[in-house]
């Protein structure tokens, strides 16, 4: 089922303004990077209900990527 992406877009823009990244939101929610970017920039006007639900769970704390500097690979 598809729903208007407005709520998800508003939420994405809010958490990104607080420091979250598209990559971090992807890692936290499992939503594809392209879907997150396209919902955030308004390209997608609708989203799956499950995608909206996942995006609305994202918080700035869980979606901020940890820098790889100094990490062991």
């Amino acid at each position: 089922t598809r729903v208007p992406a407005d709520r998800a877009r508003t939420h994405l823009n809010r958490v990104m303004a607080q420091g979250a990244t598209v990559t971090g939101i992807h890692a936290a929610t499992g939503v594809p990077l392209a879907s997150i970017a396209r919902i955030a920039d308004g390209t997608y006007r609708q989203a799956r209900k499950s995608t909206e639900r996942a995006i609305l769970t994202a918080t700035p704390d869980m979606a901020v990527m940890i820098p790889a500097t100094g990490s062991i690979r």
Side-chain angles (χ1 to χ4, degrees), residues 16-72:
M16 288 192 293
Q18 295 173 0
T21 64
V22 171
T23 305
I25 295 167
H26 159 70
T29 64
V31 174
L33 292 167
S35 296
I36 294 167
R38 290 177 180 141
I39 289 169
D41 73 12
T43 302
Y44 285 178
R45 291 184 171 167
Q46 293 186 329
R48 290 183 181 144
K49 182 71 175 163
S50 59
T51 299
E52 179 194 49
R53 198 174 319 119
I55 288 171
L56 293 176
T57 66
T59 64
D61 294 340
M62 68 191 280
V64 174
M65 291 301 293
I66 300 168
T69 305
S71 64
I72 299 171

